[in-house]
Amino acid sequence: MENLKSGKCPVMHGANSIYETSINKWWPKSLNLDILHQHDLKTNPYSNKFDYRETVKKLNYTSLENDMHDLMTDSQDWWPADWGHYGGLMIRMAWHAAGTYRTSDGRGGAGTGNLRFAPLNSWPDNTSLDKARRLLWPIKKKYGNKISWADLFILAGNIAYESMGLKTFGFSYGRPDIWHPEKDIYWGPEKEFMRPSEERYSNLEKPSTMEHPLAATHMGLIYVNPEGVNGSPDPLKTALHIRETFARMAMNDEETVALTAGGHTVGKAHGNVKVDLGPEPEAAGIHNQGFGWLNSSGSGVGKDAVTSGIEGAWTTNPTQWDNGYFKMLFDHEWELKKSPAGAWQWEPIEINEEDRPIDSTDPSIRKNPIMTDADMAMREDSIYKEISLKFKEDQEYFSDTFARAWFKLTHRDMGPKSRYIGPNFPTEDLIWQDPIPKGNSNYDVNTVRDQIKDLNLSIPDRVSLAWDSARTFRNSDLRGGANGSRIRLFPQKDWEANEPSRLSKTLSVLEPIANKNDVSIADVIVLAGNLAVEEAAKNAGVDINIPFFSGRGDATQEMTDINSFSNLEPMSDPFRNWVKDEYKSNNEEMLVDKSQLLGLTAHEMTVLVGGMRVLGANHLGNQDGILTDKVGVLTNDFFVNLIDMNNKWEIEGENKYNIVDRNTGVIKWTASSVDLVFGSNSILRSYSEVYAQDDNQEKFVSDFVSVWNKVMNLDRFDLK
């Protein structure tokens, strides 16, 4: 039998085993619940007993780091090192692993080792980084389970800088690997790399209009186009986009200048030949996959290597940590030129021969240094210029600022300092780490419980406060949560989502208990919420005790980075049936997004919503989704009444529905789209049906309590 298309015989092959096109592309738009179930045990080659963060503590750190130092100058013929030193390549790998981090949703960053997978391994900005990983393989092979790829990527950058003379600020181990690319990260609306920037801006002239949560000017770049906005050189215009993209990565102007200069103090750009790149790495033939973009011009390596298309080093001594970047930038005048590969770059109009860097492959040749449009922005923008000149005159200050910024860049998504592992992490408290004092755990919890019970606080008041305090947690970068009780501090205390007036009143009742018993208000908030849930469960005929772990601390205003915490402000809270405004994403999508950031599965999300509704925890007491006549009783009424076919749904207005008696037409309840999706979406309805069964009332209570307790303790890293 002949396959007419290929001329080859068919085989029994029923699986959709390739991603040539999306399997569901022809299907109606539906919620992507897959993001709630990624990284499960089926993708992980290790058993659930393997704990990398414990295993890495057994590593011989000194031996590993010595081997990493040796690697830097062990040039391989298949991918020779520039000037015999892999430092520039390894730094770029570490930078680009970490540089995907963005503050708005905490996603991206270096914490997962996702640089191994598409799409990141195929981004134009990440050309040849697969080769850096292959250079690291002998070390990974040697140390095996005791070192993750995620840690190795960042360690390689640190060691590279140290080997070239920089005193780094520190390094922490402890980044577990993932085993497939994340499905939850939105990289942009474009359908191909390097599309014009206008596709992600409302107004390209105003960089702040870039679509959130994005933090780069193009699909496939880390920050900005090195040739200028949309590839058109204009340093002042580029400066505005640099400021926005780095701010979205939690960097201020001084950190931005330090990182730009420090990244270009060493290494070089590659674009010495006309570009003839092959297909993107994942589309290459089997024999070429996993090498990064391949250039078929000449040898494709060494002098013929192509990365950005820009060609040249930035400093006279590209394998030394020094102040040469600023001297080169300010001591010369620059003009626009095209690289051999055809990319825009700036080159000096006049330069002494001894100031020109030696060619990376031929020590008998000197070549012009180069600057990108982003580099010229450090000279032309008035704010960046002032900072640059300060660094130019004080190399020690520049080195320290860079080292701290580099540490922040590479550790931003690791959570608090208490999670750091190894001998070389800094002990200094840094405000971007969201420091929290250690709380008192040596007190009689039952005494505090009894005092809370005596208060005149409703179940909805206590549940809402505890939830609002805990829901800020983001599993993406391990920020937020109930520990620290920052809900009582600016800016959180004034967030609309937190009902400031109600918040203030509830806190004023609970704070005296905290003071009287010398315990944190953070502990009291969570304990009050737990007691409210226990009381509601008892009202439903189920006696249950929620585990309580004391020891939370109370942060101060001085420990709180106001600008950084602003990114945690909820624009919606589907669990309390509230949305601040109308958004491009619908409410159901925002529900799934928030659930993913909290680390919830689909059935955990389902039971949590159903429980929150019957507890009466809606924002400002709105009645949407309160599908019960027994508010404050932890029943499964939400699910029972949602899927009862004696009821029908009618549209009342924008995101407003009535649930009416099918026979009489009498309105029984109102609901939002977030409520109804648990009865309409086929997957979510299947969970709702479980909780609506007559024999699952106790299961409902048990499952709700389990996920409630999970959310209350998401940030208790001391318990994990």
Side-chain angles (χ1 to χ4, degrees):
M1 182 184 291
E2 186 178 48
N3 184 313
L4 297 179
K5 184 176 180 180
S6 65
K8 297 181 180 180
C9 293
V11 296
M12 296 300 292
H13 189 84
N16 282 301
S17 55
I18 60 172
Y19 283 114
E20 189 173 27
T21 59
S22 173
I23 299 165
N24 294 325
K25 196 167 185 177
W26 56 274
W27 199 250
K29 182 179 178 182
S30 61
L31 287 176
N32 180 18
L33 298 175
D34 285 351
I35 69 172
L36 305 181
H37 306 129
Q38 58 187 0
H39 311 314
D40 71 2
L41 290 176
K42 288 184 178 180
T43 66
N44 195 326
Y46 295 98
S47 76
N48 57 3
K49 295 179 181 179
F50 177 76
D51 186 339
Y52 171 68
R53 288 183 51 81
E54 288 302 314
T55 305
V56 75
K57 295 175 183 177
K58 303 172 185 176
L59 176 67
N60 185 329
Y61 304 113
T62 301
S63 175
L64 169 64
E65 292 171 19
N66 286 338
D67 285 349
M68 294 285 283
H69 273 280
D70 292 341
L71 172 75
M72 295 298 154
T73 52
D74 186 17
S75 185
Q76 303 295 308
D77 291 342
W78 66 268
W79 193 254
D82 296 327
W83 304 283
H85 201 300
Y86 285 119
L89 177 63
M90 297 299 170
I91 287 165
R92 181 166 150 262
M93 178 182 61
W95 190 304
H96 287 218
T100 55
Y101 175 79
R102 64 269 186 119
T103 57
S104 53
D105 62 0
R107 293 185 171 101
T112 63
N114 61 2
L115 193 64
R116 296 178 291 159
F117 306 122
L120 293 184
N121 71 349
S122 296
W123 279 12
D125 230 4
N126 295 336
T127 304
S128 296
L129 293 184
D130 269 338
K131 301 180 183 71
R133 189 168 74 84
R134 293 192 177 215
L135 289 166
L136 284 173
W137 167 243
I139 288 179
K140 176 68 171 100
K141 181 176 182 293
K142 177 179 177 179
Y143 293 94
N145 298 333
K146 294 185 181 69
I147 185 69
S148 67
W149 278 113
D151 273 348
L152 203 56
F153 291 160
I154 305 305
L155 181 62
N158 258 42
I159 298 295
Y161 271 121
E162 291 175 359
S163 72
M164 291 188 279
L166 173 71
K167 181 179 175 20
T168 60
F169 190 63
F171 174 81
S172 171
Y173 295 86
R175 304 167 182 83
D177 285 329
I178 58 174
W179 300 98
H180 63 81
E182 299 100 330
K183 300 177 181 179
D184 60 295
I185 304 180
Y186 172 65
W187 295 118
E190 304 93 335
K191 303 301 182 187
E192 59 184 85
F193 295 134
M194 299 303 294
R195 291 287 301 166
S197 294
E198 284 86 352
E199 294 190 33
R200 53 179 57 199
Y201 291 84
S202 297
N203 182 350
L204 191 56
E205 301 300 315
K206 297 179 179 179
S208 63
T209 66
M210 184 197 299
E211 180 184 357
H212 281 276
L214 304 177
T217 61
H218 296 266
M219 167 77 80
L221 295 185
I222 300 297
Y223 305 118
V224 300
N225 191 325
E227 297 184 70
V229 178
N230 273 339
S232 298
D234 184 340
L236 287 175
K237 192 172 183 178
T238 294
L240 299 178
H241 286 269
I242 292 172
R243 182 163 286 114
E244 183 65 26
T245 56
F246 273 72
R248 293 190 180 202
M249 197 192 64
M251 299 295 173
N252 61 30
D253 284 334
E254 191 171 64
E255 291 167 327
T256 299
V257 175
L259 285 170
T260 302
H264 291 170
T265 292
V266 297
K268 71 181 290 288
H270 299 82
N272 195 46
V273 293
K274 288 292 183 181
V275 182
D276 186 19
L277 295 179
E280 61 270 22
E282 293 287 306
I286 289 290
H287 61 301
N288 281 331
Q289 279 184 21
F291 279 98
W293 300 81
L294 293 172
N295 174 38
S296 60
S297 301
S299 67
V301 304
K303 65 181 178 60
D304 295 330
V306 175
T307 300
S308 63
I310 293 168
E311 168 60 28
W314 291 265
T315 65
T316 306
N317 302 300
T319 60
Q320 296 177 25
W321 179 262
D322 56 27
N323 221 24
Y325 174 88
F326 297 109
K327 294 176 180 177
M328 188 68 75
L329 183 63
F330 285 99
D331 292 352
H332 301 89
E333 296 301 317
W334 300 82
E335 62 181 345
L336 274 172
K337 293 277 188 77
K338 281 288 186 78
S339 75
W344 284 116
Q345 59 188 42
W346 296 81
E347 297 185 25
I349 297 172
E350 292 184 7
I351 184 171
N352 295 329
E353 184 67 13
E354 63 270 20
D355 293 330
R356 302 172 77 207
I358 292 171
D359 181 76
S360 62
T361 60
D362 186 348
S364 68
I365 301 172
R366 288 184 180 269
K367 291 191 170 180
N368 269 352
I370 57 95
M371 294 287 165
T372 70
D373 216 54
D375 297 307
M376 296 303 293
M378 302 299 111
R379 167 179 164 135
E380 300 300 320
D381 179 89
S382 60
I383 298 172
Y384 288 157
K385 181 178 181 178
E386 182 180 353
I387 297 168
S388 294
L389 289 172
K390 184 178 181 180
F391 287 155
K392 182 174 184 286
E393 298 304 316
D394 191 339
Q395 182 177 344
E396 186 175 345
Y397 182 65
F398 163 56
S399 295
D400 182 67
T401 305
F402 172 81
R404 288 170 174 270
W406 174 258
F407 181 81
K408 180 179 178 181
L409 169 74
T410 53
H411 293 73
R412 191 69 176 86
D413 60 346
M414 283 198 70
K417 188 174 66 176
S418 62
R419 299 188 74 250
Y420 292 174
I421 295 171
N424 298 320
F425 62 81
T427 57
E428 180 181 340
D429 285 329
L430 306 166
I431 193 168
W432 59 262
Q433 296 171 327
D434 305 335
I436 300 170
K438 185 176 176 60
N440 177 23
S441 58
N442 188 25
Y443 63 93
D444 188 342
V445 174
N446 288 327
T447 298
V448 178
R449 284 172 61 96
D450 291 341
Q451 292 174 9
I452 295 172
K453 287 179 180 179
D454 291 338
L455 298 174
N456 187 28
L457 278 178
S458 70
I459 288 175
D461 282 343
R462 286 177 282 161
V463 167
S464 297
L465 175 60
W467 172 260
D468 289 351
S469 183
R471 70 169 169 208
T472 52
F473 182 80
R474 303 192 307 197
N475 201 45
S476 53
D477 58 358
L478 308 180
R479 299 188 67 212
N483 197 6
S485 63
R486 284 189 167 90
I487 195 170
R488 73 197 202 285
L489 305 174
F490 183 82
Q492 290 191 36
K493 68 182 181 66
D494 296 325
W495 290 347
E496 184 180 343
N498 290 340
E499 299 181 72
S501 177
R502 181 186 197 178
L503 169 64
S504 178
K505 291 176 182 177
T506 309
L507 282 174
S508 69
V509 176
L510 291 175
E511 283 174 335
I513 291 179
N515 296 331
K516 180 179 179 180
N517 295 279
D518 190 28
V519 302
S520 68
I521 185 64
D523 264 1
V524 173
I525 289 170
V526 173
L527 189 55
N530 286 2
L531 288 171
V533 173
E534 291 177 8
E535 183 181 332
K538 189 173 184 178
N539 293 340
V542 182
D543 285 324
I544 196 163
N545 290 313
I546 301 176
F548 177 75
F549 306 98
S550 60
R552 295 172 183 80
D554 291 332
T556 66
Q557 193 67 63
E558 291 71 31
M559 296 172 179
T560 303
D561 185 348
I562 293 171
N563 290 333
S564 178
F565 266 93
S566 295
N567 289 296
L568 300 183
E569 180 180 0
M571 296 296 104
S572 73
D573 186 352
F575 295 97
R576 295 190 65 201
N577 229 344
W578 172 78
V579 60
K580 188 173 183 177
D581 208 340
E582 292 184 17
Y583 302 104
K584 185 166 67 174
S585 298
N586 64 42
N587 297 342
E588 307 91 89
E589 291 170 327
M590 289 188 283
L591 167 68
V592 175
D593 177 73
K594 180 59 182 172
S595 297
Q596 195 279 330
L597 287 173
L598 288 171
L600 305 180
T601 64
H603 73 82
E604 288 176 328
M605 174 183 74
T606 301
V607 76
L608 188 56
V609 168
M612 292 289 282
R613 294 293 187 271
V614 298
L615 290 172
N618 277 1
H619 190 268
L620 291 176
N622 84 76
Q623 293 301 296
D624 291 345
I626 310 296
L627 312 186
T628 183
D629 300 322
K630 304 183 292 291
V631 176
V633 182
L634 195 55
T635 66
N636 61 349
D637 284 1
F638 174 84
F639 302 108
V640 170
N641 293 315
L642 180 68
I643 65 177
D644 187 349
M645 291 308 296
N646 290 313
N647 302 321
K648 66 177 181 178
W649 306 340
E650 295 179 347
I651 299 174
E652 175 67 19
E654 183 69 30
N655 193 34
K656 190 80 169 181
Y657 301 84
N658 294 326
I659 298 178
V660 305
D661 186 288
R662 190 177 293 276
N663 294 320
T664 67
V666 173
I667 298 174
K668 300 169 73 172
W669 300 284
T670 61
S672 71
S673 60
V674 167
D675 301 312
L676 297 188
V677 76
F678 290 96
S680 60
N681 179 279
S682 59
I683 296 173
L684 296 181
R685 184 181 177 92
S686 71
Y687 296 127
S688 295
E689 289 168 348
V690 169
Y691 293 117
Q693 291 175 189
D694 292 346
D695 61 349
N696 274 341
Q697 167 62 26
E698 287 196 22
K699 175 178 173 57
F700 162 70
V701 172
S702 176
D703 287 3
F704 177 83
V705 166
S706 177
V707 69
W708 171 269
N709 189 50
K710 174 179 176 176
V711 173
M712 292 301 116
N713 292 286
L714 284 169
D715 60 348
R716 293 299 304 276
F717 305 111
D718 54 321
L719 304 176
K720 302 174 183 178

